[in-house]
Amino acid sequence: MPKNKVNPAVGGGVGVGVGGGGGWLDSAERTGADLHLELPVGGSRRAALAEALRAAVRDGRLPSGARLPPYRSLAADLGLARNTVADAYAELVAEGWLTARQGSGTRVAERAAPPAPVRRPRPAGAAPAGPVHDLVPGQPDAGSFPRAGWLSAARRALNEAPNEAFGPGDPRGRIELRRALADYLGRARGVRTDPDRIVVSAGFGHALRLLYGGGVLTGPLAVEAYGLSFHRELLDRAGVPHVPLPIDERGADTTALARLPRVRQVLLTAAHQFPTGGPLHRERRSAAVAWARAGGGLILEDDYDGEFRYDRQPIGSLQGLDPERVVHMGSVSKSLSPALRLGWIVLPEDLVDAVLDAKGEREAWVSVPDQLTLAEFIASGGYDRHVRRMRQRYRGRRDRLTAVLAARAPHVSVSGVAAGLHAVLTLPAGTEAVAVAAARAHGVAVEPLSSFRHPAATQVARDGLVIGYATPPDHAYPAALDALCEALASVAG
């Protein structure tokens, strides 16, 4: 029996691969496609094959018009007699499952599509079944992914990649990407590093897992009073205690670190606080670095959307103030796409080996072709061009949001819009829940500001909504803003 074939007499699924002569579909004749057939144990082989083919047609694995292999080829692959396959084909032709024409071979017959499910009309005034307009923060415009530029970079990168790039590799990540990142981060974000101190990750969450889940660092950890609950949950799963730092218009109050004697690490979104939106004031940046130097502390910097600024000069990284006391982490989730799962950790020299040990087996490493493509995309200038283009587009989105709200919802104040991909709408006290319910009723998905609040935070809570203005496609954005304003009318005054 040929290698990797399953004898149907033994039962179980039978994988059929046909390449070279014969084939399943016209394209499959060139590629050697497989079809999985479930042939039960025992009984008539002809009946079993016929039923397996019926099932493949019913569930869509063999669509209308699909060409079946000649019965001699299928008989050889399945270890059946030719007459058995020929009889099964004839039975299915007679039943109308297959057609057989001279010169065209045996194909799946055209079959009527199953009836569409009956949709009951929604009662007048009822809320939509799901959100029509997505204004949840944290996502870029998926339709703006630079497909042509990424494809060109991928072709160049793969054509020029050495053969060893497709071997086991380096747990740090590909040297081409680490070199490109060292250059880009130094030029655009003020990071001071070299390729040997960069470890490629699958994003910020993966970086945090390596540092804490991998045992490189232990808590307790100071975090901002408003931030992503996902990060807090990740720390909880790793058994890391975390305590909140108050947030105001100057960002996190890093002077409070001196009053937390057990804390030796702090996590900050210094360039653009998430979600409240302001940058960390220069005095508080200096205070954080001084605290780390004085007590052997460590600053974890989440640079999640540092490229997107509109009304201010670029704010450099905290890492540039002290590379040995700051771990700088970033990704392309906001600038390109969260689907790429590509990020980086810029480490103090004494943490590199520990992080590499925590990274462990190759299954946790990022795809090498994606790393090579990003390296080429950065080195060729494609990444810079894309960021500049999206900066202009998102600025236009931001401007439209603020103009529409000023005209139609003047009772709502807008903040945190000098940079980034989201805005905070401050609501009248006690109206947040009403606003969220009204948004849902108008088909708008939004996030309440309270959902980002640390459960142990003691500062006075604010009522508000966090609006992601980058998420909707261009054609849907005006309707999303219109629905949002209609919802906000319910909390006027």
Side-chain angles (χ1 to χ4, degrees):
M1 178 173 290
K3 186 178 180 181
N4 294 332
K5 304 298 180 185
V6 178
N7 188 335
V10 180
V14 179
V16 181
V18 181
W24 287 104
L25 311 176
D26 292 342
S27 61
E29 294 177 357
R30 298 186 296 273
T31 62
D34 291 334
L35 177 66
H36 182 78
L37 297 177
E38 293 286 348
L39 271 62
V41 176
S44 165
R45 296 291 87 199
R46 177 194 55 75
L49 175 59
E51 181 52 35
L53 290 169
R54 288 189 197 96
V57 174
R58 277 194 299 265
D59 64 21
R61 287 183 292 125
L62 281 175
S64 297
R67 184 177 180 180
L68 274 66
Y71 67 83
R72 292 178 179 82
S73 299
L74 185 58
D77 284 332
L78 294 177
L80 300 175
R82 294 179 182 177
N83 287 344
T84 299
V85 179
D87 290 345
Y89 276 16
E91 178 180 339
L92 296 179
V93 169
E95 293 176 358
W97 293 89
L98 306 178
T99 62
R101 293 185 178 90
Q102 185 69 29
S104 180
T106 304
R107 295 179 180 269
V108 176
E110 297 291 334
R111 300 180 63 80
V118 177
R119 298 187 181 274
R120 298 182 181 275
R122 182 165 51 91
V132 178
H133 309 290
D134 187 357
L135 291 176
V136 171
Q139 302 290 334
D141 178 4
S144 296
F145 183 81
R147 301 183 191 212
W150 187 260
L151 180 59
S152 296
R155 286 173 174 157
R156 293 192 301 271
L158 294 179
N159 281 337
E160 297 169 7
N163 291 338
E164 55 87 14
F166 304 98
D170 187 335
R172 286 178 174 82
R174 286 298 304 175
I175 185 59
E176 295 91 340
L177 178 56
R178 291 185 284 116
R179 284 173 179 158
L181 286 171
D183 175 72
Y184 173 79
L185 294 173
R187 169 171 51 82
R189 303 296 303 123
V191 171
R192 292 190 287 152
T193 191
D194 60 65
D196 287 342
R197 293 170 64 166
I198 296 176
V199 174
V200 176
S201 71
F204 179 81
H206 181 216
L208 211 56
R209 288 187 187 94
L210 290 175
L211 291 170
Y212 286 99
V216 177
L217 301 175
T218 57
L221 169 72
V223 299
E224 295 164 331
Y226 283 85
L228 283 173
S229 59
F230 163 71
H231 296 162
R232 296 193 294 267
E233 291 163 3
L234 191 154
L235 294 168
D236 288 339
R237 287 193 294 272
V240 178
H242 44 90
V243 296
L245 292 177
I247 297 287
D248 59 23
E249 67 279 358
R250 291 184 158 199
D253 183 6
T254 55
T255 62
L257 289 167
R259 300 190 292 273
L260 300 172
R262 295 181 58 244
V263 170
R264 287 292 176 268
Q265 298 116 39
V266 59
L267 173 60
L268 299 171
T269 51
H272 187 223
Q273 203 286 321
F274 187 87
T276 60
L280 187 63
H281 191 274
R282 63 178 179 274
E283 291 179 0
R284 292 187 175 176
R285 293 162 67 92
S286 298
V289 173
W291 165 83
R293 288 172 175 168
L298 192 67
I299 300 169
L300 309 182
E301 180 179 22
D302 179 4
D303 196 39
Y304 69 98
D305 66 357
E307 296 94 343
F308 297 116
R309 76 274 176 184
Y310 313 119
D311 302 327
R312 68 186 191 204
Q313 293 298 313
I315 295 177
S317 69
L318 275 175
Q319 192 270 359
L321 300 179
D322 194 333
E324 299 306 323
R325 299 259 62 92
V326 181
V327 176
H328 179 91
M329 294 172 282
S331 76
V332 298
S333 292
K334 304 296 185 294
S335 57
L336 287 174
S337 168
L340 286 175
R341 310 315 312 151
L342 272 168
W344 48 87
I345 319 171
V346 182
L347 292 158
E349 188 173 7
D350 62 356
L351 289 181
V352 173
D353 289 342
V355 170
L356 295 178
D357 289 343
K359 200 171 184 184
E361 298 297 328
R362 291 195 298 271
E363 283 71 16
W365 302 358
V366 178
S367 159
V368 164
D370 285 344
Q371 291 186 55
L372 293 171
T373 301
L374 179 59
E376 172 62 24
F377 198 50
I378 294 172
S380 67
Y383 186 76
D384 285 88
R385 289 190 294 273
H386 173 73
V387 167
R388 287 196 298 271
R389 182 169 60 250
M390 296 311 298
R391 189 183 296 144
Q392 289 300 110
R393 180 173 297 179
Y394 292 146
R395 179 173 185 164
R397 297 264 191 110
R398 188 275 314 258
D399 291 347
R400 184 162 190 167
L401 170 69
T402 56
V404 168
L405 290 175
R408 297 182 55 185
H411 59 289
V412 173
S413 64
V414 185
S415 61
V417 293
L421 307 179
H422 72 275
V424 176
L425 312 187
T426 300
L427 302 172
T431 64
E432 184 182 271
V434 174
V436 172
R440 186 180 301 115
H442 285 83
V444 184
V446 297
E447 288 285 354
L449 182 58
S450 60
S451 67
F452 300 97
R453 180 179 167 86
H454 194 288
T458 58
Q459 67 185 101
V460 176
R462 295 165 51 189
D463 281 58
L465 301 178
V466 184
I467 302 299
Y469 52 80
T471 308
D474 285 339
H475 71 273
Y477 190 52
L481 295 185
D482 186 63
L484 174 65
C485 289
E486 290 181 5
L488 292 173
S490 64
V491 298

